[in-house]
Amino acid sequence: MMWQNYQLGNTISKATEAITLWQTEKGAMEISRNTLAIPINLGDQRKGYIFHGDGKLLLDTIVETEEGAIGKPVEKKIDEPFLMLGGTEETQPHLSTANREDFTKMGYENPQEFVAKAEDLCNRFFRGRVHSRQGFDEDHGLIFSFPNETGKLDMLVTKGSKMVYKAMNIVFVSNENKVVLKSPDEVVCAKNGKSVIIKKRKSVVVNK
């Protein structure tokens, strides 16, 4: 199956040790030993992976303002298949070929079940996103995509000091000394120690 020239690889691997896929002062993305991995290729180039194992996402999404700290950190267990574009050169040396026991541990009867889940995730991620032959470049940083409780996809995009996180009830953008946090209750913008806080109005139902 192809998504405008992207396709899954033929070899399914597993992590030979715990791997930190991404880490900065703003957060980290980790996977455990024996996490399953199938590559996402563009032609003969490996561009990313679909992983399934015991993962953990940690993000500092707190904004410091004159009124105090707003927001709370994100600490998420990732136990469903998720997508990563970028970071392949750093990840590949920590992978080896998976065996039948590795699939059983993750609840699969055979490798084809994992491939089917990986294809479904790719379908959902690439739908409407890939419009040309130009592929994802490592210079673009890293892109993570995680299914959430509603069946939609949360997104984390990182490059150097820049980070964008978009989930069900939060949008967090950080770029050096500039931060924007959007939640159901408020929008917070902070830059160089100064901040603007916009409280969202909530409708009130009055019983007559």
Side-chain angles (χ1 to χ4, degrees):
M1 182 174 291
M2 300 181 68
W3 305 273
Q4 289 293 94
N5 305 308
Y6 281 88
Q7 58 185 337
L8 293 178
N10 297 319
T11 303
I12 302 175
S13 304
K14 67 177 180 179
T16 57
E17 58 187 334
I19 307 173
T20 299
L21 300 173
W22 163 75
Q23 184 171 26
T24 69
E25 62 179 12
K26 278 295 181 184
M29 179 65 219
E30 304 167 351
I31 56 174
S32 65
R33 184 172 177 266
N34 294 326
T35 292
L36 297 175
I38 186 168
I40 302 170
N41 298 332
L42 183 63
D44 59 355
Q45 295 183 331
R46 186 168 295 157
K47 293 297 183 179
Y49 290 97
I50 300 290
F51 294 107
H52 189 190
D54 294 322
K56 183 186 291 185
L57 174 65
L58 303 171
L59 295 176
D60 177 7
T61 53
I62 297 174
V63 183
E64 298 293 339
T65 73
E66 294 92 330
E67 297 183 11
I70 297 179
K72 57 183 180 181
V74 173
E75 184 171 345
K76 245 180 128 173
K77 182 180 179 182
I78 310 295
D79 54 10
E80 291 291 330
F82 71 93
L83 176 147
M84 178 184 79
L85 289 180
T88 56
E89 290 186 5
E90 295 83 0
T91 304
Q92 200 277 331
H94 304 283
L95 302 177
S96 66
T97 303
N99 58 42
R100 181 168 292 276
E101 184 181 353
D102 298 315
F103 295 104
T104 302
K105 287 179 180 177
M106 293 310 303
Y108 297 111
E109 292 187 3
N110 52 59
Q112 288 73 30
E113 287 190 355
F114 174 53
V115 172
K117 274 205 167 186
E119 287 181 341
D120 178 65
L121 179 55
C122 284
N123 276 330
R124 294 160 62 193
F125 176 80
F126 285 111
R127 187 183 300 128
R129 285 192 172 93
V130 182
H131 301 287
S132 69
R133 289 181 172 272
Q134 182 179 4
F136 176 83
D137 195 308
E138 295 278 348
D139 291 340
H140 293 164
L142 293 170
I143 297 175
F144 295 96
S145 184
F146 319 92
N148 60 35
E149 293 87 344
T150 67
K152 296 183 179 180
L153 299 179
D154 294 344
M155 299 284 292
L156 173 64
V157 182
T158 71
K159 181 181 179 182
S161 62
K162 301 177 182 178
M163 182 180 85
V164 177
Y165 178 62
K166 185 177 183 297
M168 282 191 299
N169 296 314
I170 180 177
V171 175
F172 183 81
V173 181
S174 176
N175 184 6
E176 296 181 348
N177 59 350
K178 304 173 187 176
V179 180
V180 176
L181 170 65
K182 182 180 178 182
S183 71
D185 299 323
E186 57 209 346
V187 177
V188 184
C189 302
K191 179 180 179 182
N192 297 324
K194 298 181 180 180
S195 60
V196 175
I197 304 171
I198 303 172
K199 299 287 185 180
K200 295 184 179 179
R201 293 183 178 180
K202 294 184 178 179
S203 59
V204 178
V205 177
V206 179
N207 292 322
K208 295 183 180 180

